[in-house]
Amino acid sequence: MNAKLTITFAGIALVMIPALGPAHAEKGPPPGQAPAAHYDAQGGPPFELKDPARIEAGKKRFNSTCAQYCHGSEPPLFIGRSDLEAEYVFNTIRDGGKGATPMPPWGDIFTAEEVWELVAYVKSLGTW
């Protein structure tokens, strides 16, 4: 392979790697920097998790991302589950399955408020 062709392939690879998205990107803040405060689940949701508008927003987001690619539109994993703690659901959506499941982290994709809307929807499925 000639040098010009090698440089071209290397350039394409450097351009394409960021386009692959968060599943292929390094997660978390740079070394020595604390994570953003808005990712902290300890403060709890910024709204009532039983708010119908927030549940609907979470449902729309779930159906356009989570359901479409992995969970399905009526995920049996969550239906009737009253034992799922809100903070656990938030952390799992934000951080992913961490090897225990193949779920990717969504904390770099969704804002904390959007994650809490997903939590509201998932928790609402527990009442089905």
Side-chain angles (χ1 to χ4, degrees):
M1 206 186 281
N2 70 34
K4 187 175 183 178
L5 191 55
T6 302
I7 292 171
T8 301
F9 281 127
I12 290 171
L14 288 173
V15 170
M16 291 302 295
I17 289 171
L20 293 173
H24 302 283
E26 195 65 34
K27 297 290 171 228
Q33 182 179 348
H38 70 278
Y39 285 166
D40 186 7
Q42 292 177 351
F47 52 82
E48 174 60 46
L49 291 177
K50 293 182 181 183
D51 179 341
R54 297 300 187 142
I55 292 170
E56 185 60 29
K59 179 180 181 179
K60 286 179 183 176
R61 187 166 297 105
F62 185 92
N63 286 333
S64 68
T65 55
C66 313
Q68 186 173 359
Y69 298 106
C70 297
H71 292 289
S73 61
E74 292 187 0
L77 179 65
F78 308 123
I79 294 175
R81 293 281 307 269
S82 59
D83 62 324
L84 293 173
E85 295 293 327
E87 290 78 14
Y88 172 79
V89 177
F90 179 93
N91 291 334
T92 302
I93 294 169
R94 178 192 63 195
D95 301 331
K98 294 186 176 182
T101 72
M103 182 168 164
W106 291 90
D108 289 341
I109 306 298
F110 299 132
T111 66
E113 188 168 329
E114 291 170 332
V115 172
W116 280 118
E117 288 174 342
L118 286 165
V119 172
Y121 174 62
V122 168
K123 292 286 289 175
S124 78
L125 294 173
T127 64
W128 286 21

